[in-house]
Amino acid sequence: MSEHPDAALIRRAYEAFGKGDMETMGTLMTADVIHHVPGSNPLSGHHKGREAVLDLYRRFGSETKGTLRVELHAVLVDGRGHAMSFHTARADRGDRGIEIQEGLFFTIVGGKVSDIDECTQDIDEEDRFWS
């Protein structure tokens, strides 16, 4: 059974993110992509535009001194331009550590990610970690 192109796109994005390959990440997103981060912490909010989203990802790395690791568990697609991914995120930041389940809901337009809605197992824990 072959993988749906939308699922393959999301897997490529996870692979690039894991390598810190922002150049490849940029090619997988539309210019006007938006990443919505839940919660009430310095990284929360709506990051609009390719450079703003890539800056968010760079900040994930700098804030955790490169310790952020994401283990992808599943990618689901609807065949109409939407995909969902489920992963475990692990990172250290100062004297804090986190291991948390997260999910991303993607909108895909023209073979590129145009919108990312992030969901988390525990918003309060994420806020404590990133604050």
Side-chain angles (χ1 to χ4, degrees):
M1 181 169 83
S2 65
E3 185 169 50
H4 189 277
D6 293 345
L9 170 69
I10 301 309
R11 288 186 192 283
R12 281 195 312 276
Y14 268 85
E15 182 179 330
F17 181 87
K19 293 177 181 176
D21 182 355
M22 295 301 122
E23 184 176 330
T24 296
M25 289 293 299
T27 68
L28 303 176
M29 296 183 262
T30 62
D32 61 348
V33 64
I34 302 173
H35 187 134
H36 310 274
V37 179
S40 298
N41 66 70
L43 300 179
S44 297
H46 308 287
H47 302 268
K48 299 176 182 178
R50 183 183 296 128
E51 283 310 309
V53 172
L54 293 175
D55 285 345
L56 171 67
Y57 298 163
R58 289 182 191 102
R59 191 157 176 210
F60 287 153
S62 66
E63 292 284 332
T64 64
K65 296 191 180 350
T67 64
L68 177 62
R69 298 289 178 258
V70 177
E71 178 186 350
L72 180 62
H73 301 298
V75 177
L76 310 176
V77 298
D78 70 356
R80 297 170 303 164
H82 300 106
M84 296 182 342
S85 65
F86 301 92
H87 63 258
T88 301
R90 295 176 182 86
D92 294 311
R93 187 167 180 264
D95 63 350
R96 294 179 184 254
I98 194 167
E99 180 173 326
I100 198 160
Q101 303 299 307
E102 297 175 326
L104 300 174
F105 180 82
F106 299 90
T107 301
I108 299 165
V109 176
K112 294 188 178 203
V113 173
S114 68
D115 195 85
I116 307 163
D117 278 300
E118 183 176 326
C119 297
T120 181
Q121 176 183 29
D122 188 333
I123 291 174
D124 293 334
E125 179 64 19
E126 293 244 5
D127 282 346
R128 283 189 293 275
F129 181 77
W130 293 111
S131 293

